[in-house]
Amino acid sequence: MGITRRKAMTIAGVGVAGIAGAAAGATAVLAADSEPTVPVSAASGAVPFHGDHQAGIVTPAQDRLHFVAFDVVTKDRDRLVSMLQDWTAAAARMTQGQDAGTIGAVNGIPEAPPDDTGEALDLPPAGLTLTIGFGPTLFRDASGVDRFGIAAKRPAALEELPKFPADALQPEISGGDLCVQACANDPQVAVHAIRNLARIGMGVVSVRWSQLGFGRTSSTSRDQVTPRNLFGFKDGTANLKAEDTALLDEHLWARAADGASWMDGGSYLVARKIRMTIETWDRTSLGEQEEIVGRAKGSGAPLGHQNEFDELDFTIKGPEGEPAIADVAHVKLAHHSQNSGARILRRGYNFVDGSDGLGRLNAGLFFISFQRDAHKQFVPIQLNLARHDVMNEYIRHVSSALFACPPGVKDGGDYWGRELFS
Ligand code: HEM
């Protein structure tokens, strides 16, 4: 037995967070009543919402994603701020396994629409994290208008990303004034959260585009097993990990001294929807696939090395004296030694959005990376990849977005964007 949000409302004085937190790492039993429920385990428990940094960045990557970008449709700054306050309160509740509103999905008067939509009623928190980001267009719209009096606060790091060779971007699934990344170990919990934020934001924001992801393609903690992307390769091996605190300080967290004090402890999020032509990939030989990536498909070990987590050594030679990891292998081109030391934290997801009407799956990688400054980290790496990566024959970048994710919400009196709008 465990806990559901329905019970969370009925167990007086006991927060789901506390119960789930205490249960983290092991399946726990909560015998509040005899209603059978889902067990509380590390995967189903709650991730703290308040803290110095937003959750959903170094949080061990959950299995499911619902990412949404919004356009702000009001010109009224006060309405926008008020919505951000409402969103923060709802996010604090939902991440702890509670209903979006204080009344709940089924406890209100019959005459009014409920303040929660109800589809997560019987589900545990499922590790839900909600991470907000502010896009460049929130500060100035396409015609240069300072929409909400915050243009002077736009950090240099939030300049629009440049166009990269071979980009095939679709504007309708790119950009956005705001984003929310919902990650959870249950897809319904992630979708419920985004749906309720969209509901609360009606009249202030409208959904510009959204993306579901069904399998993580990264690990962000050394405790996690490395998952596989849709090319069948382990993905996330050489990622920045939660345990690398010195590297995170250097490469992940923005500082006030970087130029924007409201971003102190925040991070910049890049999202790129990358379509994979998996049918062509599937007709490529195993040897060629491994050469393109630079790692063995089975073990994930770098070519010419023994184990998955061996440090890349580009001096190791193959049987014919050639470099074991080719100069154009993905892992070499993306490696920090080739990009002036730039590192990023990858947190992407696999997607399959049905088929494309031409007998192919509309599949790929919804790439997400976090970094202290995308222009100094993501951009040089992606330029190198866009120019030289042999993998480009099998992938196409179809959407792009950049967001500034502020630091964490400190406590119940704080809200998403408080320092930006103060
Ligand atoms: C569909 C597109 C992509 C696929 C299939 C892919 C796949 C992989 C795989 C299999 C690895 C090796 C395992 C690992 O260390 O995680 C890897 C590493 C890496 N990828 Fe990608 N990747 C893609 C796009 C990108 C993009 C757009 C970037 C950034 C601009 C990127 C940056 C990196 C980095 C930094 C590494 C680690 C390199 C190292 O230090 O060893 N990848 N990728």
Side-chain angles (χ1 to χ4, degrees), residues 103-174:
I103 299 171
V106 292
N107 289 350
I109 53 168
E111 293 75 19
D115 67 6
D116 182 280
T117 52
E119 72 272 28
L121 263 183
D122 306 312
L123 302 174
L128 174 69
T129 54
L130 293 166
T131 313
I132 198 170
F134 302 119
T137 49
L138 186 69
F139 296 77
R140 275 191 203 282
D141 66 15
S143 43
V145 174
D146 180 1
R147 310 164 67 188
F148 302 108
I150 53 172
K153 286 191 163 182
R154 185 170 103 169
L158 197 58
E159 285 288 320
E160 297 279 2
L161 293 175
K163 190 170 170 10
F164 297 96
D167 269 359
L169 307 184
Q170 298 167 231
E172 66 280 9
I173 54 168
S174 295

Side-chain angles (χ1 to χ4, degrees), residues 34-106:
S34 58
E35 188 189 329
T37 55
V38 187
V40 176
S41 66
S44 60
V47 175
F49 179 71
H50 296 112
D52 290 341
H53 305 295
Q54 289 197 72
I57 302 175
V58 294
T59 307
Q62 303 94 322
D63 279 335
R64 307 296 181 127
L65 169 82
H66 191 184
F67 190 96
V68 65
F70 293 98
D71 287 328
V72 178
V73 294
T74 184
K75 291 186 172 144
D76 186 336
R77 176 183 162 123
D78 292 344
R79 283 191 72 193
L80 174 59
V81 170
S82 158
M83 184 205 72
L84 289 170
Q85 290 167 340
D86 293 345
W87 269 11
T88 310
R93 295 178 56 79
M94 291 190 288
T95 54
Q96 304 311 305
Q98 299 164 356
D99 283 345
T102 50
I103 299 171
V106 292

Side-chain angles (χ1 to χ4, degrees), residues 163-193:
K163 190 170 170 10
F164 297 96
D167 269 359
L169 307 184
Q170 298 167 231
E172 66 280 9
I173 54 168
S174 295
D177 296 333
L178 298 171
C179 78
V180 180
Q181 172 199 264
C183 298
N185 293 310
D186 182 326
Q188 183 131 330
V189 169
V191 168
H192 167 263

Side-chain angles (χ1 to χ4, degrees), residues 95-409:
T95 54
Q96 304 311 305
Q98 299 164 356
D99 283 345
T102 50
I103 299 171
V106 292
N107 289 350
I109 53 168
E111 293 75 19
D115 67 6
D116 182 280
T117 52
E119 72 272 28
L121 263 183
D122 306 312
L123 302 174
L128 174 69
T129 54
L130 293 166
T131 313
I132 198 170
F134 302 119
T137 49
L138 186 69
F139 296 77
R140 275 191 203 282
D141 66 15
S143 43
V145 174
D146 180 1
R147 310 164 67 188
F148 302 108
I150 53 172
K153 286 191 163 182
R154 185 170 103 169
L158 197 58
E159 285 288 320
E160 297 279 2
L161 293 175
K163 190 170 170 10
F164 297 96
D167 269 359
L169 307 184
Q170 298 167 231
E172 66 280 9
I173 54 168
S174 295
D177 296 333
L178 298 171
C179 78
V180 180
Q181 172 199 264
C183 298
N185 293 310
D186 182 326
Q188 183 131 330
V189 169
V191 168
H192 167 263
I194 294 298
R195 175 185 176 186
N196 278 273
L197 295 180
R199 179 183 57 76
I200 292 166
M202 197 166 291
V204 181
V205 291
S206 73
V207 172
R208 179 178 173 86
W209 56 272
S210 91
Q211 182 66 49
L212 290 175
F214 66 81
R216 64 182 170 94
T217 59
S218 72
S219 9
T220 52
S221 149
R222 299 208 183 281
D223 292 339
Q224 291 182 291
V225 171
T226 315
R228 289 180 188 269
N229 60 36
L230 293 183
F231 283 160
F233 277 75
K234 289 193 179 188
D235 202 342
T237 305
N239 206 10
L240 283 180
K241 305 264 163 82
E243 294 82 0
D244 305 331
T245 44
L247 286 175
L248 299 185
D249 280 342
E250 192 182 341
H251 298 282
L252 181 65
W253 304 122
R255 303 269 180 77
D258 296 345
S261 60
W262 65 270
M263 275 296 286
D264 194 26
S267 194
Y268 292 86
L269 181 161
V270 170
R272 306 277 293 184
K273 181 170 183 174
I274 307 176
R275 174 88 188 266
M276 289 170 158
T277 46
I278 50 176
E279 292 79 5
T280 319
W281 179 261
D282 295 346
R283 290 196 300 270
T284 306
S285 71
L286 175 61
E288 197 176 334
Q289 292 182 3
E290 293 185 330
E291 270 176 41
I292 291 169
V293 173
R295 286 182 178 269
K297 196 168 186 177
S299 65
L303 295 182
H305 299 57
Q306 294 301 311
N307 302 306
E308 182 191 348
F309 293 101
D310 288 350
E311 284 292 324
L312 298 190
D313 179 349
F314 299 119
T315 64
I316 294 180
K317 301 284 182 226
E320 297 182 7
E322 78 291 358
I325 300 172
D327 287 344
V328 289
H330 180 79
V331 295
K332 181 162 185 189
L333 294 168
H335 193 256
H336 52 92
S337 65
Q338 313 297 304
N339 297 289
S340 317
R343 296 178 192 242
I344 55 179
L345 183 141
R346 288 169 288 141
R347 216 176 184 285
Y349 285 83
N350 296 319
F351 73 85
V352 176
D353 295 349
S355 51
D356 67 0
L358 301 168
R360 294 179 303 215
L361 291 176
N362 183 354
L365 172 69
F366 188 71
F367 173 95
I368 296 175
S369 68
F370 288 93
Q371 50 268 300
R372 183 171 173 178
D373 185 334
H375 291 272
K376 295 184 179 149
Q377 295 161 261
F378 171 81
V379 170
I381 299 172
Q382 175 54 21
L383 263 179
N384 210 13
L385 293 176
R387 285 181 182 141
H388 305 295
D389 198 352
V390 195
M391 195 187 274
N392 291 332
E393 219 176 293
Y394 306 90
I395 61 175
R396 197 166 68 247
H397 288 233
V398 295
S399 92
S400 176
L402 172 66
F403 298 97
C405 301
V409 174

